[in-house]
Amino acid sequence: MTRRFARLGHPAHRFCPASWTPLSNLFGLSRGHIATSLFSRGDRDLSKRRHRINQESEMAKENIGFIGVGLMGHGMAKNMLSAGHAVTVIAHRSRTSVEDLISHGAKEADNLVALAEASDIIHICAPGSPQVEAIIAGLMPGLRKGCIIVDCSTSDPTSTERLATMLDGKGCCLVDAPLGGTPVQAEAGALSTMVGAPDDVFARIKPVIDCWAATVVHLGPTGLGHKMKLINNFLSMGYAAMYAEAMALGRKVGISVDQFDSVIRGSRMDCGFYQTFMGYALEGNTEAHKFTLNNAYKDTRYLAKMADDASVANPVGTAIKNSFAAAVNMGGDGAEDYVPHLVDYIARLNGLPPGKD
């Protein structure tokens, strides 16, 4: 029993794989045939992309520094090592990921200055802007002219633009490349990213980003990546808040979570985010979507600030933020309290025990 379940008095459910959507019914194909076709095509596409990455990497190997080799960063750094880049990492809270990367050829720096001195391009995966600001301050004495810092965190765009101006004065460049995807996709080199960078800088870093991202969108100058990421998370966290509230309402009026899912799954309301969210709400998989409630709440606060700065009315964003604020203040502020667990806190808020019925 996890700490979370013990706190909520809710037994952990056995994980069962999500049911297939009725794709076979549409095309008259067997599920096995569909699976074979889709995975074969995916393998071929991934193989071609990796071949292209290897060719590009042969032309210019960059020395990479990586700060934040946790759930997402570990897979990203590993894929850059696989592409032939020299990667230097630094430990923070846990040495497990660092030790694994060292076993794959990474080097370890004792401090941020040493990491900066060894790196042409530095990736940062941190919880938010305060941590990114502190990291960059620690890197500054060791940064070489022409160094590029790639902030893969979901950060406050105001802070990002301020840091970019400061680094430009030192002959360096800040790029914002926040992430889309899961730790599983990070390990597979199949994340997505939305990038803010000058055109020439983007051209230089694109082969490196291709090591860990399958979808790369260059939006324009530095800052636009983080702005788009906040809008993206406004939508995704909005889904989470609506799903949690809809299931609480359904249970109150006699509709079980199983019944709810039987209507939504496979319909126009279904999507990838829904399926990972229901991995917990329906199947009890506590790690179906490993993005914390704390981080979600932080992102909704950043969105509110961005909307205020732009003088945009954002009442829906405020409602979403309040759902996550409630969950965090009801005890959902731990390192293993993930976004799909919101369903339990909204249930409790409405006098319901955690569960499906």
Side-chain angles (χ1 to χ4, degrees):
M1 183 178 290
T2 65
R3 173 180 60 77
R4 223 189 129 267
F5 281 120
R7 181 171 68 246
L8 294 176
H10 177 53
H13 296 291
R14 180 174 62 84
F15 169 66
C16 300
S19 61
W20 281 71
T21 54
L23 189 61
S24 55
N25 295 342
L26 296 176
F27 296 96
L29 300 174
S30 71
R31 290 175 176 176
H33 178 82
I34 292 170
T36 301
S37 299
L38 290 176
F39 283 110
S40 296
R41 185 177 66 186
D43 289 344
R44 287 196 301 271
D45 291 344
L46 187 58
S47 177
K48 288 178 181 177
R49 188 166 65 85
R50 284 178 173 162
H51 178 68
R52 188 187 75 250
I53 291 167
N54 288 335
Q55 285 182 321
E56 291 170 341
S57 295
E58 287 300 320
M59 292 186 287
K61 291 286 195 301
E62 301 275 9
N63 295 311
I64 308 297
F66 209 110
I67 302 162
V69 289
L71 290 174
M72 304 294 276
H74 173 269
M76 296 165 67
K78 187 184 72 174
N79 282 298
M80 286 187 281
L81 282 166
S82 297
H85 292 286
V87 177
T88 302
V89 298
I90 189 168
H92 180 42
R93 293 178 181 169
S94 171
R95 289 201 56 83
T96 304
S97 293
V98 170
E99 295 292 348
D100 182 70
L101 291 168
I102 290 171
S103 74
H104 285 86
K107 296 179 180 179
E108 182 179 5
D110 293 330
N111 53 63
L112 291 173
V113 173
L115 185 142
E117 290 173 342
S119 306
D120 303 313
I121 297 174
I122 300 171
H123 284 63
I124 299 174
C125 282
S129 289
Q131 294 81 11
V132 173
E133 290 170 3
I135 288 166
I136 290 178
L139 292 169
M140 287 293 283
L143 289 176
R144 302 196 301 254
K145 186 176 182 179
C147 182
I148 299 171
I149 297 178
V150 183
D151 181 11
C152 298
S153 319
T154 301
S155 297
D156 176 357
T158 304
S159 171
T160 301
E161 291 169 347
R162 185 172 62 250
L163 289 171
T165 300
M166 180 186 72
L167 286 165
D168 185 63
K170 191 174 173 64
C172 302
C173 185
L174 179 66
V175 169
D176 49 328
L179 310 174
T182 66
V184 172
Q185 289 171 300
E187 293 291 330
L191 293 170
S192 62
T193 185
M194 50 225 80
V195 182
D199 291 345
D200 58 331
V201 173
F202 178 74
R204 178 179 162 193
I205 64 171
K206 176 66 162 52
V208 176
I209 292 177
D210 280 340
C211 297
W212 49 262
T215 304
V216 182
V217 179
H218 181 208
L219 295 170
T222 300
L224 288 185
H226 282 146
K227 291 173 182 177
M228 183 63 227
K229 176 61 174 174
L230 292 180
I231 294 171
N232 180 88
N233 282 16
F234 165 52
L235 294 173
S236 60
M237 296 309 108
Y239 285 150
M242 287 192 294
Y243 297 155
E245 192 169 323
M247 281 184 273
L249 176 59
R251 290 175 63 196
K252 276 279 192 175
V253 299
I255 299 169
S256 71
V257 173
D258 290 280
Q259 291 172 318
F260 175 88
D261 182 69
S262 69
V263 173
I264 302 301
R265 191 175 296 268
S267 75
R268 292 179 63 194
M269 299 297 102
D270 195 357
C271 65
F273 189 94
Y274 174 81
Q275 292 176 19
T276 55
F277 192 90
M278 296 304 289
Y280 173 72
L282 182 67
E283 298 154 4
N285 177 9
T286 59
E287 299 187 347
H289 186 172
K290 295 174 76 172
F291 184 67
T292 66
L293 290 166
N294 248 337
N295 277 334
Y297 180 36
K298 177 262 298 180
D299 292 352
T300 61
R301 296 198 308 273
Y302 284 170
L303 178 87
K305 181 178 181 299
M306 184 171 76
D308 285 345
D309 290 344
S311 299
V312 170
N314 188 223
V316 175
T318 300
I320 295 165
K321 176 173 65 69
N322 288 344
S323 292
F324 285 97
V328 168
N329 284 292
M330 290 169 69
D333 57 350
E336 295 181 353
D337 291 311
Y338 300 126
V339 163
H341 304 174
L342 181 66
V343 69
D344 290 339
Y345 293 101
I346 300 302
R348 284 174 55 194
L349 197 62
N350 287 282
L352 292 164
K356 300 194 298 177
D357 303 315

